[in-house]
Short mmCIF file of all heavy atoms in Angstrom, two decimals:
data_model
loop_
_atom_site.label_atom_id
_atom_site.label_comp_id
_atom_site.label_asym_id
_atom_site.label_seq_id
_atom_site.Cartn_x
_atom_site.Cartn_y
_atom_site.Cartn_z
N SER A 52 0.83 -1.21 0.00
CA SER A 52 0.00 0.00 0.00
C SER A 52 0.86 1.25 0.00
O SER A 52 0.58 2.21 -0.73
CB SER A 52 -0.93 -0.01 1.22
OG SER A 52 -1.73 -1.17 1.24
N ASN A 53 1.89 1.25 0.83
CA ASN A 53 2.78 2.42 0.90
C ASN A 53 3.47 2.67 -0.43
O ASN A 53 3.66 3.83 -0.83
CB ASN A 53 3.82 2.22 1.99
CG ASN A 53 3.25 2.24 3.40
OD1 ASN A 53 3.92 1.85 4.34
ND2 ASN A 53 2.01 2.67 3.56
N LEU A 54 3.84 1.60 -1.14
CA LEU A 54 4.47 1.77 -2.46
C LEU A 54 3.49 2.40 -3.45
O LEU A 54 3.86 3.28 -4.22
CB LEU A 54 4.96 0.43 -3.00
CG LEU A 54 6.14 -0.24 -2.29
CD1 LEU A 54 6.57 -1.50 -3.06
CD2 LEU A 54 7.32 0.71 -2.15
N LEU A 55 2.24 1.94 -3.43
CA LEU A 55 1.24 2.50 -4.34
C LEU A 55 1.01 3.99 -4.04
O LEU A 55 0.91 4.81 -4.95
CB LEU A 55 -0.08 1.74 -4.20
CG LEU A 55 -0.09 0.31 -4.75
CD1 LEU A 55 -1.37 -0.40 -4.33
CD2 LEU A 55 0.05 0.29 -6.26
N GLY A 56 0.95 4.33 -2.76
CA GLY A 56 0.70 5.71 -2.38
C GLY A 56 1.88 6.63 -2.58
O GLY A 56 1.74 7.86 -2.59
N ALA A 57 3.08 6.03 -2.74
CA ALA A 57 4.30 6.85 -2.86
C ALA A 57 4.32 7.68 -4.14
O ALA A 57 4.98 8.72 -4.20
CB ALA A 57 5.54 5.95 -2.82
N ASP A 58 3.60 7.25 -5.16
CA ASP A 58 3.54 7.97 -6.43
C ASP A 58 2.11 8.49 -6.60
O ASP A 58 1.18 7.72 -6.80
CB ASP A 58 3.91 7.05 -7.60
CG ASP A 58 4.11 7.80 -8.91
OD1 ASP A 58 3.51 8.88 -9.06
OD2 ASP A 58 4.84 7.29 -9.78
N ARG A 59 1.96 9.80 -6.51
CA ARG A 59 0.61 10.37 -6.57
C ARG A 59 -0.01 10.27 -7.96
O ARG A 59 -1.20 10.53 -8.12
CB ARG A 59 0.63 11.83 -6.10
CG ARG A 59 0.94 11.98 -4.59
CD ARG A 59 0.02 11.13 -3.74
NE ARG A 59 0.25 11.33 -2.31
CZ ARG A 59 -0.28 10.60 -1.36
NH1 ARG A 59 -1.05 9.57 -1.67
NH2 ARG A 59 -0.04 10.85 -0.08
N ARG A 60 0.75 9.90 -8.95
CA ARG A 60 0.15 9.60 -10.26
C ARG A 60 -0.63 8.30 -10.19
O ARG A 60 -1.48 8.04 -11.05
CB ARG A 60 1.23 9.49 -11.33
CG ARG A 60 2.00 10.78 -11.61
CD ARG A 60 3.13 10.53 -12.59
NE ARG A 60 4.09 9.58 -12.05
CZ ARG A 60 5.06 9.01 -12.78
NH1 ARG A 60 5.17 9.29 -14.06
NH2 ARG A 60 5.90 8.17 -12.21
N VAL A 61 -0.35 7.49 -9.18
CA VAL A 61 -1.02 6.20 -9.01
C VAL A 61 -2.20 6.32 -8.07
O VAL A 61 -3.26 5.76 -8.31
CB VAL A 61 -0.03 5.15 -8.47
CG1 VAL A 61 -0.74 3.83 -8.14
CG2 VAL A 61 1.09 4.91 -9.47
N CYS A 62 -2.00 7.06 -7.01
CA CYS A 62 -3.02 7.11 -5.98
C CYS A 62 -3.08 8.48 -5.33
O CYS A 62 -2.06 8.98 -4.84
CB CYS A 62 -2.74 6.04 -4.93
SG CYS A 62 -4.15 5.70 -3.88
N ASN A 63 -4.24 9.10 -5.33
CA ASN A 63 -4.42 10.40 -4.71
C ASN A 63 -4.24 10.30 -3.20
O ASN A 63 -4.42 9.24 -2.60
CB ASN A 63 -5.84 10.92 -4.97
CG ASN A 63 -6.16 11.03 -6.43
OD1 ASN A 63 -5.33 11.43 -7.22
ND2 ASN A 63 -7.38 10.66 -6.80
N TRP A 64 -3.98 11.44 -2.57
CA TRP A 64 -3.94 11.47 -1.12
C TRP A 64 -5.30 11.05 -0.58
O TRP A 64 -6.34 11.57 -0.96
CB TRP A 64 -3.61 12.87 -0.62
CG TRP A 64 -3.43 12.91 0.87
CD1 TRP A 64 -2.27 12.79 1.56
CD2 TRP A 64 -4.48 13.03 1.86
NE1 TRP A 64 -2.51 12.84 2.92
CE2 TRP A 64 -3.86 12.98 3.13
CE3 TRP A 64 -5.86 13.16 1.79
CZ2 TRP A 64 -4.58 13.07 4.32
CZ3 TRP A 64 -6.58 13.25 2.99
CH2 TRP A 64 -5.94 13.20 4.22
N GLY A 65 -5.30 10.08 0.33
CA GLY A 65 -6.53 9.63 0.97
C GLY A 65 -7.38 8.72 0.11
O GLY A 65 -8.35 8.13 0.60
N GLY A 66 -7.04 8.58 -1.17
CA GLY A 66 -7.87 7.80 -2.08
C GLY A 66 -7.34 6.39 -2.30
O GLY A 66 -6.23 6.05 -1.92
N GLY A 67 -8.16 5.59 -2.96
CA GLY A 67 -7.77 4.21 -3.25
C GLY A 67 -7.86 3.33 -2.02
O GLY A 67 -7.97 3.81 -0.89
N ASN A 68 -7.84 2.05 -2.24
CA ASN A 68 -7.84 1.10 -1.13
C ASN A 68 -7.26 -0.23 -1.59
O ASN A 68 -7.25 -0.55 -2.78
CB ASN A 68 -9.25 0.91 -0.54
CG ASN A 68 -10.34 1.10 -1.57
OD1 ASN A 68 -10.58 0.22 -2.39
ND2 ASN A 68 -10.99 2.26 -1.55
N THR A 69 -6.74 -0.97 -0.65
CA THR A 69 -6.08 -2.24 -0.93
C THR A 69 -6.60 -3.29 0.04
O THR A 69 -7.12 -2.97 1.11
CB THR A 69 -4.56 -2.11 -0.74
OG1 THR A 69 -4.30 -1.56 0.57
CG2 THR A 69 -3.95 -1.20 -1.78
N SER A 70 -6.41 -4.56 -0.32
CA SER A 70 -6.86 -5.63 0.57
C SER A 70 -6.03 -6.89 0.36
O SER A 70 -5.40 -7.09 -0.69
CB SER A 70 -8.34 -5.96 0.32
OG SER A 70 -8.49 -6.57 -0.96
N SER A 71 -6.05 -7.73 1.38
CA SER A 71 -5.45 -9.07 1.31
C SER A 71 -6.31 -10.02 2.12
O SER A 71 -6.80 -9.67 3.20
CB SER A 71 -4.03 -9.07 1.88
OG SER A 71 -3.13 -8.39 1.04
N LYS A 72 -6.48 -11.23 1.61
CA LYS A 72 -7.24 -12.27 2.32
C LYS A 72 -6.24 -13.26 2.90
O LYS A 72 -5.41 -13.82 2.18
CB LYS A 72 -8.22 -12.95 1.37
CG LYS A 72 -9.25 -11.99 0.76
CD LYS A 72 -10.19 -12.69 -0.20
CE LYS A 72 -11.21 -11.73 -0.80
NZ LYS A 72 -10.64 -10.90 -1.88
N THR A 73 -6.31 -13.45 4.21
CA THR A 73 -5.36 -14.31 4.92
C THR A 73 -6.10 -15.26 5.85
O THR A 73 -7.31 -15.13 6.06
CB THR A 73 -4.39 -13.46 5.76
OG1 THR A 73 -5.12 -12.79 6.79
CG2 THR A 73 -3.66 -12.42 4.91
N ILE A 74 -5.39 -16.20 6.40
CA ILE A 74 -5.94 -17.10 7.41
C ILE A 74 -5.42 -16.65 8.78
O ILE A 74 -4.22 -16.52 8.97
CB ILE A 74 -5.54 -18.57 7.15
CG1 ILE A 74 -6.04 -19.01 5.76
CG2 ILE A 74 -6.10 -19.48 8.24
CD1 ILE A 74 -7.55 -18.96 5.59
N GLU A 75 -6.33 -16.40 9.68
CA GLU A 75 -5.98 -15.95 11.02
C GLU A 75 -6.64 -16.85 12.06
O GLU A 75 -7.59 -17.58 11.77
CB GLU A 75 -6.46 -14.50 11.24
CG GLU A 75 -6.02 -13.51 10.18
CD GLU A 75 -4.54 -13.16 10.26
OE1 GLU A 75 -3.91 -13.44 11.29
OE2 GLU A 75 -4.02 -12.60 9.26
N LYS A 76 -6.15 -16.77 13.29
CA LYS A 76 -6.77 -17.49 14.40
C LYS A 76 -7.82 -16.57 15.04
O LYS A 76 -7.55 -15.40 15.32
CB LYS A 76 -5.72 -17.84 15.46
CG LYS A 76 -4.65 -18.83 14.98
CD LYS A 76 -5.18 -20.24 14.87
CE LYS A 76 -4.04 -21.21 14.54
NZ LYS A 76 -4.56 -22.60 14.33
N ASP A 77 -9.01 -17.10 15.27
CA ASP A 77 -10.01 -16.29 15.95
C ASP A 77 -9.82 -16.40 17.46
O ASP A 77 -8.87 -17.04 17.94
CB ASP A 77 -11.42 -16.66 15.52
CG ASP A 77 -11.89 -18.02 16.06
OD1 ASP A 77 -11.10 -18.68 16.77
OD2 ASP A 77 -13.04 -18.40 15.78
N PHE A 78 -10.72 -15.81 18.23
CA PHE A 78 -10.55 -15.77 19.68
C PHE A 78 -10.65 -17.16 20.32
O PHE A 78 -10.24 -17.35 21.47
CB PHE A 78 -11.58 -14.82 20.30
CG PHE A 78 -13.00 -15.33 20.26
CD1 PHE A 78 -13.58 -15.88 21.39
CD2 PHE A 78 -13.74 -15.24 19.10
CE1 PHE A 78 -14.88 -16.34 21.35
CE2 PHE A 78 -15.04 -15.70 19.05
CZ PHE A 78 -15.63 -16.27 20.18
N ARG A 79 -11.17 -18.15 19.53
CA ARG A 79 -11.25 -19.52 20.05
C ARG A 79 -10.14 -20.40 19.50
O ARG A 79 -10.12 -21.61 19.72
CB ARG A 79 -12.62 -20.12 19.69
CG ARG A 79 -13.78 -19.45 20.40
CD ARG A 79 -15.12 -19.93 19.90
NE ARG A 79 -15.29 -21.37 20.05
CZ ARG A 79 -16.34 -22.06 19.58
NH1 ARG A 79 -17.30 -21.40 18.93
NH2 ARG A 79 -16.42 -23.36 19.74
N GLY A 80 -9.21 -19.78 18.75
CA GLY A 80 -8.09 -20.54 18.21
C GLY A 80 -8.39 -21.25 16.91
O GLY A 80 -7.58 -22.06 16.43
N ARG A 81 -9.52 -20.96 16.29
CA ARG A 81 -9.89 -21.59 15.02
C ARG A 81 -9.32 -20.80 13.84
O ARG A 81 -9.23 -19.58 13.91
CB ARG A 81 -11.42 -21.66 14.88
CG ARG A 81 -12.11 -22.47 15.95
CD ARG A 81 -13.63 -22.33 15.84
NE ARG A 81 -14.05 -20.94 15.99
CZ ARG A 81 -15.32 -20.54 15.99
NH1 ARG A 81 -16.29 -21.43 15.83
NH2 ARG A 81 -15.62 -19.26 16.14
N ASP A 82 -8.97 -21.53 12.76
CA ASP A 82 -8.53 -20.87 11.54
C ASP A 82 -9.74 -20.28 10.81
O ASP A 82 -10.71 -21.00 10.54
CB ASP A 82 -7.82 -21.86 10.61
CG ASP A 82 -6.43 -22.21 11.11
OD1 ASP A 82 -5.89 -21.45 11.92
OD2 ASP A 82 -5.90 -23.26 10.70
N ILE A 83 -9.68 -18.98 10.52
CA ILE A 83 -10.75 -18.34 9.76
C ILE A 83 -10.14 -17.49 8.66
O ILE A 83 -9.01 -17.01 8.78
CB ILE A 83 -11.65 -17.47 10.66
CG1 ILE A 83 -10.82 -16.36 11.34
CG2 ILE A 83 -12.38 -18.31 11.69
CD1 ILE A 83 -11.68 -15.32 12.04
N GLU A 84 -10.89 -17.31 7.59
CA GLU A 84 -10.43 -16.45 6.50
C GLU A 84 -10.79 -15.01 6.83
O GLU A 84 -11.96 -14.70 7.11
CB GLU A 84 -11.04 -16.85 5.17
CG GLU A 84 -10.45 -16.07 3.99
CD GLU A 84 -11.04 -16.47 2.65
OE1 GLU A 84 -12.04 -17.21 2.63
OE2 GLU A 84 -10.48 -16.02 1.62
N VAL A 85 -9.77 -14.16 6.82
CA VAL A 85 -9.96 -12.75 7.16
C VAL A 85 -9.50 -11.89 5.99
O VAL A 85 -8.44 -12.14 5.40
CB VAL A 85 -9.17 -12.38 8.42
CG1 VAL A 85 -9.17 -10.86 8.65
CG2 VAL A 85 -9.74 -13.09 9.64
N MET A 86 -10.27 -10.89 5.64
CA MET A 86 -9.84 -9.91 4.64
C MET A 86 -9.41 -8.64 5.38
O MET A 86 -10.18 -8.06 6.14
CB MET A 86 -10.96 -9.57 3.66
CG MET A 86 -10.51 -8.55 2.59
SD MET A 86 -11.77 -8.18 1.36
CE MET A 86 -12.91 -7.19 2.33
N TRP A 87 -8.18 -8.26 5.13
CA TRP A 87 -7.67 -7.00 5.66
C TRP A 87 -7.87 -5.93 4.59
O TRP A 87 -7.43 -6.09 3.45
CB TRP A 87 -6.18 -7.11 6.00
CG TRP A 87 -5.90 -8.09 7.10
CD1 TRP A 87 -5.52 -9.39 6.97
CD2 TRP A 87 -6.00 -7.84 8.50
NE1 TRP A 87 -5.37 -9.98 8.20
CE2 TRP A 87 -5.65 -9.04 9.17
CE3 TRP A 87 -6.34 -6.73 9.27
CZ2 TRP A 87 -5.64 -9.15 10.55
CZ3 TRP A 87 -6.33 -6.84 10.65
CH2 TRP A 87 -5.98 -8.03 11.28
N VAL A 88 -8.57 -4.86 4.95
CA VAL A 88 -8.86 -3.81 3.97
C VAL A 88 -8.59 -2.45 4.60
O VAL A 88 -8.70 -2.28 5.82
CB VAL A 88 -10.33 -3.91 3.49
CG1 VAL A 88 -11.30 -3.58 4.62
CG2 VAL A 88 -10.58 -3.03 2.27
N LYS A 89 -8.21 -1.51 3.77
CA LYS A 89 -7.92 -0.16 4.24
C LYS A 89 -9.08 0.42 5.04
O LYS A 89 -10.23 0.32 4.64
CB LYS A 89 -7.63 0.74 3.04
CG LYS A 89 -7.46 2.22 3.38
CD LYS A 89 -7.48 3.09 2.13
CE LYS A 89 -7.51 4.56 2.51
NZ LYS A 89 -7.66 5.42 1.35
N GLY A 90 -8.73 1.02 6.18
CA GLY A 90 -9.74 1.68 6.98
C GLY A 90 -10.09 3.05 6.43
O GLY A 90 -9.29 3.69 5.75
N SER A 91 -11.28 3.51 6.74
CA SER A 91 -11.75 4.80 6.23
C SER A 91 -10.92 5.94 6.80
O SER A 91 -10.55 5.94 7.98
CB SER A 91 -13.21 4.98 6.61
OG SER A 91 -13.73 6.16 6.05
#
């Protein structure tokens, strides 16, 4: 995300968003699919 934002020809200040889907442990220790996405 930082690389994309480093060039303002690619991404305006405050604009755009990125995401990744990963496997994380939930509060019970189970594997769950989580999407990490830019916060507002």
Side-chain angles (χ1 to χ4, degrees):
S52 303
N53 292 166
L54 291 186
L55 290 170
D58 190 334
R59 292 307 184 190
R60 295 175 298 169
V61 174
C62 196
N63 303 319
W64 185 94
N68 30 76
T69 53
S70 69
S71 289
K72 300 179 180 78
T73 65
I74 301 299
E75 307 287 344
K76 295 286 186 184
D77 72 359
F78 70 102
R79 293 172 58 186
R81 299 172 301 183
D82 286 341
I83 59 170
E84 186 179 10
V85 171
M86 181 177 72
W87 296 97
V88 67
K89 174 192 172 186
S91 185

